[in-house]
Amino acid sequence: MRHNRRDFLRRIGSSLALSVLPPFWRASSLHPRFAIPRLLPGWPSTANFSALSLPDYPFVEIPASASGITFKHTAAHSPQKYLPETTGAGCAFLDYDNDGWMDIYFVNSGKCDFYAPDPPLRNALYHNNRDGTFTDVTERSRVQAGGYGQGVAVGDYDGDGFPDMYVTQYGRSILYHNNGDGTFTDVTEKAGVAAPGWSSSAVWFDYDNDGKLDLFVCRFVDFDKSKNLPCKANDMPGYCVPHLYKPMASWLFHNNGDGTFTDVSAASGIANYKGKAWGVVATDINNDGRMDLFVANDTVANFLFANRVNGKFEEIGQPAGIAYSDEGRPRSGMGVDSVDLNQDGWMDLFVANIDHEAYALYQNNHDETFDNIAAATGIANATRLMSGWGLKFFDYDNDGNLDLMIADGHPDDLIEKIYENVKYEEPLLLFHNSGSDHPENRLKNVSANSGPVFSRAMSARGLAIGDFDNNGAVDVLISCNDEKPVLLRNNVGANNHWLGLKLIGRKANIDAIGARVTYQAGDLKRTQMKVGGGSFLSSHDPRVVLGIGPRTKIDWLEIDWPQPSGLKQRLTGLPLDRYITLREGEAKWE
């Protein structure tokens, strides 16, 4: 007897259903949804699948028993309620050994002035075994860190073809140079990028268009153990609201091209503006070919650093309309992203906030101003009681339209004693992009219909996207505060056609941050910019996936490489449903 999915879930419950869903399917001439499941170690026998329809949820959670990922974040929640305990930590997809498969990195807490774990805690690097499982290679790779970790930014700063990692921490951050042999070296002191204080998100981007990746590091409040303030909620010790702490200036480091960096925070104008920075994305908001910075601040105005000539930045957040809420108040900005959502050729901005503030979607007016259209799209109403951290726009179903996923969770574990309708642990949010020209029809909240994982409450923080099984369906990794991470396999993206691009710059920065990719497939024409960073404390698969829906051909593809190249490269005769490597200026691909 053949049972449908609803009957099956009614019989044995959603939690058991999740434990037997196959993590991916063997390549087959069949439609991926009906292909034969290939089981991995830790999964039940094929007999459990013989009478079941394969699931059609967009995302399926992969349990640790199947993936081999045993990492758990420790927040060190203490009676003293030190503020850093609420925020960590980040995660990343990266191909550290250049084998073409995305590996995973997690950031953990560790020793600092208010915490001394025994035994010591460490970060974790997991190698992708190419079969849906991962192996912990942290010790061999020498990327344990050990400080009180926050986030990670991945970028090839020396252009040797191997991605390096910048790990932000409360106290002292770390630059890990990739040695190309599976190991990393801590080169922080030589490079001059320790960024003392409380660092949060960071982003690699080429701000002066010299072809080398520079580094921007968000700095949060002025905090150490001696400055911890006693706060209460309902007469119980609680975490303080960040507005009680002093703001600090963020860091900008110029890449000197010799393995060292120069602190240009003051010279660039960045240091003139003190904030409480959580999230950052590098994007080009005015189409002048220079990468700008959108920075989310907590309880003070958000920053929009417009990149002007000669390495100078002008902070234009207030006149641009992104600094405050529609009522003119600062909000608690956390995760950010930038995307050309309406495909008008201009990059829009998104920021998640804390409960009772709603998230903001800023549409670019083409004149360095923005309008918040979150209410019109329904995002404001859906998020009014939520607190958002990691997030990303990406095309999860490969129909050619960029969708949105958000990881949520309130920072204060006493919030439920203050507000009856606000929760400490919150579910993920998924918005599907219809491609409509009208904002009110463009983004639809499909969370409730997207499977059991979207009804599961969690203390989510970081979010990274990456295709860990190389099937063109972009997967999601979520790090949680004081909990195990969540790995979601994309279950629907491979149902449509796609092309994945690994872009390698030559004159342009090697990671091609700032490149614009435009492609035509029949009646579908789309443009994507490869932004720098985005989300919260996390780093994404560097490859660009172009979805075309049921169409069977990409007519042409055009790449506008960033300066100092400026090359416009047009390609035809492209393959489908595979990843290719495109090097700047070469007509052939690998």
Side-chain angles (χ1 to χ4, degrees):
M1 179 179 178
R2 184 176 178 84
H3 301 281
N4 63 31
R5 174 167 51 89
R6 182 179 300 173
D7 292 336
F8 173 63
L9 294 179
R10 185 183 298 116
R11 281 191 302 114
I12 65 173
S14 60
S15 61
L16 180 57
L18 282 175
S19 71
V20 300
L21 296 180
F24 61 96
W25 288 268
R26 187 190 307 276
S28 159
S29 60
L30 297 174
H31 192 286
R33 188 175 294 170
F34 304 107
I36 300 172
R38 178 159 66 94
L39 300 178
L40 300 176
W43 289 92
S45 68
T46 54
N48 289 342
F49 295 93
S50 60
L52 305 177
S53 298
L54 293 179
D56 55 3
Y57 298 130
F59 293 93
V60 176
E61 182 176 354
I62 307 302
S65 60
S67 69
I69 296 173
T70 59
F71 174 84
K72 180 181 182 297
H73 178 257
T74 299
H77 291 164
S78 68
Q80 292 78 19
K81 300 290 184 177
Y82 297 110
L83 193 57
E85 298 168 1
T86 67
T87 64
C91 57
F93 279 110
L94 74 157
D95 182 9
Y96 80 93
D97 56 352
N98 275 352
D99 67 351
W101 294 76
M102 286 296 117
D103 311 299
I104 287 174
Y105 189 72
F106 295 107
V107 179
N108 208 348
S109 306
K111 187 176 181 180
C112 65
D113 59 353
F114 63 81
Y115 183 49
D118 184 20
L121 299 173
R122 64 171 176 82
N123 297 356
L125 177 63
Y126 283 89
H127 178 261
N128 190 329
N129 298 325
R130 310 186 193 186
D131 62 359
T133 69
F134 294 82
T135 298
D136 188 333
V137 295
T138 313
E139 302 297 333
R140 177 184 181 276
S141 299
R142 304 199 299 264
V143 289
Q144 300 96 320
Y148 202 91
Q150 293 289 282
V152 55
V154 178
D156 184 3
Y157 75 87
D158 59 350
D160 65 355
F162 289 89
D164 310 295
M165 292 194 297
Y166 187 76
V167 179
T168 59
Q169 299 189 140
Y170 160 72
R172 170 194 179 271
S173 297
I174 302 173
L175 177 58
Y176 282 119
H177 174 260
N178 191 330
N179 300 320
D181 60 359
T183 68
F184 292 76
T185 299
D186 181 344
V187 296
T188 312
E189 298 307 320
K190 174 189 174 183
V193 292
W198 183 351
S199 297
S200 54
S201 295
V203 62
W204 295 98
F205 75 121
D206 181 10
Y207 81 89
D208 57 350
N209 285 339
D210 66 353
K212 299 184 290 290
L213 288 175
D214 310 299
L215 178 65
F216 179 88
V217 184
C218 291
R219 187 170 180 182
F220 196 50
V221 298
D222 183 16
F223 180 90
D224 61 37
K225 182 179 180 180
S226 68
K227 297 173 182 175
N228 192 55
L229 299 174
C231 293
K232 289 188 175 182
N234 286 6
D235 294 324
M236 293 179 291
Y239 293 105
C240 293
V241 178
H243 76 75
L244 298 174
Y245 292 94
K246 294 180 180 179
M248 300 297 290
S250 293
W251 305 83
L252 180 63
F253 296 101
H254 176 261
N255 189 335
N256 299 324
D258 59 0
T260 68
F261 292 77
T262 298
D263 180 0
V264 294
S265 309
S268 65
I270 295 292
N272 294 335
Y273 300 91
K274 293 184 177 181
K276 302 176 184 181
W278 275 144
V280 60
V281 62
T283 184
D284 184 359
I285 58 118
N286 50 17
N287 288 346
D288 64 357
R290 293 186 292 270
M291 297 298 282
D292 312 297
L293 294 168
F294 178 43
V295 180
N297 285 312
D298 194 342
T299 69
V300 296
N302 295 326
F303 294 150
L304 182 56
F305 289 111
N307 191 341
R308 306 307 191 195
V309 295
N310 301 321
K312 302 288 186 180
F313 286 84
E314 179 186 3
E315 203 291 294
I316 61 169
Q318 187 167 351
I322 60 86
Y324 302 104
S325 70
D326 294 344
E327 295 78 28
R329 293 191 294 268
R331 294 194 275 193
S332 298
M334 295 181 286
V336 297
D337 201 10
S338 180
V339 63
D340 182 4
L341 189 61
N342 59 350
Q343 288 292 297
D344 65 350
W346 297 77
M347 298 299 288
D348 310 305
L349 304 172
F350 186 90
V351 59
N353 301 296
I354 207 165
D355 65 281
H356 290 86
E357 293 182 350
Y359 306 171
L361 175 58
Y362 294 108
Q363 184 169 285
N364 195 321
N365 294 326
H366 311 175
D367 59 359
E368 295 190 352
T369 70
F370 295 79
D371 289 330
N372 184 6
I373 61 170
T377 61
I379 285 179
N381 185 60
T383 62
R384 192 162 300 280
L385 298 177
M386 306 287 283
S387 299
W389 300 90
L391 55 93
K392 193 63 181 166
F393 282 92
F394 68 107
D395 185 5
Y396 76 83
D397 57 353
N398 282 333
D399 65 353
N401 302 312
L402 298 178
D403 313 296
L404 173 63
M405 185 180 285
I406 310 172
D408 307 281
H410 202 280
D412 189 348
D413 56 2
L414 296 179
I415 192 63
E416 294 176 30
K417 299 182 182 300
I418 303 171
Y419 291 110
E420 182 179 350
N421 54 358
V422 178
K423 301 299 182 182
Y424 174 59
E425 294 187 331
E426 300 175 344
L428 303 171
L429 291 172
L430 182 64
F431 293 88
H432 182 263
N433 185 348
S434 68
S436 172
D437 292 333
H438 303 287
E440 62 273 16
N441 299 324
R442 189 174 300 137
L443 291 172
K444 180 181 180 182
N445 184 358
V446 296
S447 311
N449 301 317
S450 295
V453 74
F454 289 92
S455 61
R456 172 185 159 189
M458 60 186 76
S459 185
R461 295 294 187 267
L463 180 150
I465 63 168
D467 183 6
F468 75 83
D469 50 5
N470 279 349
N471 68 345
V474 179
D475 310 300
V476 178
L477 179 67
I478 299 154
S479 59
C480 297
N481 181 272
D482 210 42
E483 294 177 0
K484 293 180 179 180
V486 177
L487 178 62
L488 301 180
R489 181 189 184 270
N490 186 325
N491 202 32
V492 297
N495 294 346
N496 281 322
H497 291 297
W498 57 278
L499 174 63
L501 307 178
K502 180 180 179 180
L503 302 178
I504 300 179
R506 287 183 168 169
K507 290 183 179 179
N509 68 85
I510 191 170
D511 288 355
I513 303 300
R516 292 180 189 258
V517 179
T518 303
Y519 63 104
Q520 180 94 41
D523 61 331
L524 180 75
K525 183 179 180 181
R526 293 290 185 265
T527 297
Q528 288 190 39
M529 170 180 275
K530 190 176 180 185
V531 301
S535 192
F536 173 76
L537 305 180
S538 300
S539 197
H540 311 286
D541 186 335
R543 299 172 297 182
V544 179
V545 177
L546 311 176
I548 64 170
R551 302 164 188 84
T552 57
K553 178 184 178 182
I554 293 179
D555 301 314
W556 55 264
L557 180 151
E558 196 166 82
I559 304 170
D560 287 293
W561 293 90
Q563 297 294 338
S565 169
L567 176 68
K568 187 181 291 288
Q569 189 172 355
R570 190 179 179 95
L571 299 165
T572 58
L574 293 155
L576 281 184
D577 303 333
R578 57 168 286 197
Y579 284 98
I580 62 174
T581 298
L582 290 174
R583 301 179 187 274
E584 178 189 334
E586 292 188 2
K588 296 182 179 181
W589 51 85
E590 302 170 12

